[in-house]
Amino acid sequence: MIDDDLDDLAALLGDPAVMTYYPAPKTRAESAAWIVRMRERYAQDGHGLWTLETHDGAFVGDCGLTWQSSNGQPVLEVGYHVRAELQGRGYATEAARACVELVARELAPTLLTAIIHPDNTASRRVAEKLGMRHIDDDRAHPWIVRTVMGMTVEPI
């Protein structure tokens, strides 16, 4: 992610439909901070969320690998956001599969998770298409119990 991605990411992360399962859509300033945080993650962890584009360069969303916390324990998570009007077309699944392949090449064997709002059936379907299954419930957040999907990724 680069500063030039701000307009696209602010529109994505500020869209109430995309952010339905978050506490609130993000402001432009919060979206700018999102980009800074991803760059910090790239530097620290070697990965983060990347912007997604179609082959012809149209902005789709973001997807990638980040360290998250589940029940107070660090877990590697694949995360994804897709523009509302492009959801249901397989973009999140395709991008998340590429992340699984990256994990298999560079980080395996390891547990890969997707931490999902319990009502977000579309996100859960993406995780299931990757081969994940429900492995836990994250009770560490004060406002919600999140569904933790996961799978062990083996080296290729």
Side-chain angles (χ1 to χ4, degrees):
M1 287 185 191
I2 59 174
D3 291 339
D4 288 348
D5 294 325
L6 180 56
D7 288 342
D8 288 330
L9 282 166
L12 176 77
L13 300 175
D15 183 341
V18 172
M19 302 303 281
T20 297
Y21 300 106
Y22 282 74
K26 299 203 178 296
T27 64
R28 186 173 180 82
E30 290 169 329
S31 297
W34 183 275
I35 292 171
V36 169
R37 196 166 49 257
M38 287 310 119
R39 289 216 287 293
E40 290 169 352
R41 288 178 184 228
Y42 303 152
Q44 178 181 328
D45 302 327
H47 49 78
L49 298 180
W50 299 278
T51 55
L52 300 177
E53 297 179 343
T54 62
H55 291 290
D56 61 1
F59 178 77
V60 171
D62 67 2
C63 182
L65 303 169
T66 58
W67 286 99
Q68 299 294 330
S69 178
S70 175
N71 293 313
Q73 298 299 312
V75 292
L76 185 62
E77 182 194 32
V78 59
Y80 32 83
H81 301 97
V82 172
R83 289 176 28 208
E85 67 273 18
L86 299 177
Q87 291 177 2
R89 298 184 187 185
Y91 289 117
T93 302
E94 180 180 355
R97 274 197 184 119
C99 290
V100 172
E101 291 171 12
L102 175 67
V103 169
R105 284 192 315 272
E106 297 184 11
L107 302 170
T110 194
L111 174 68
L112 181 63
T113 65
I115 303 170
I116 302 169
H117 186 289
D119 295 333
N120 191 343
T121 57
S123 188
R124 185 174 177 136
R125 276 194 307 271
V126 170
E128 289 170 344
K129 288 177 187 176
L130 299 176
M132 292 184 178
R133 61 181 178 77
H134 180 219
I135 60 169
D136 203 359
D137 291 316
D138 177 26
R139 300 179 187 285
H141 279 265
W143 58 276
I144 190 168
V145 176
R146 302 180 303 172
T147 301
V148 182
M149 304 290 288
M151 62 191 276
T152 299
V153 179
E154 298 296 338
I156 53 173

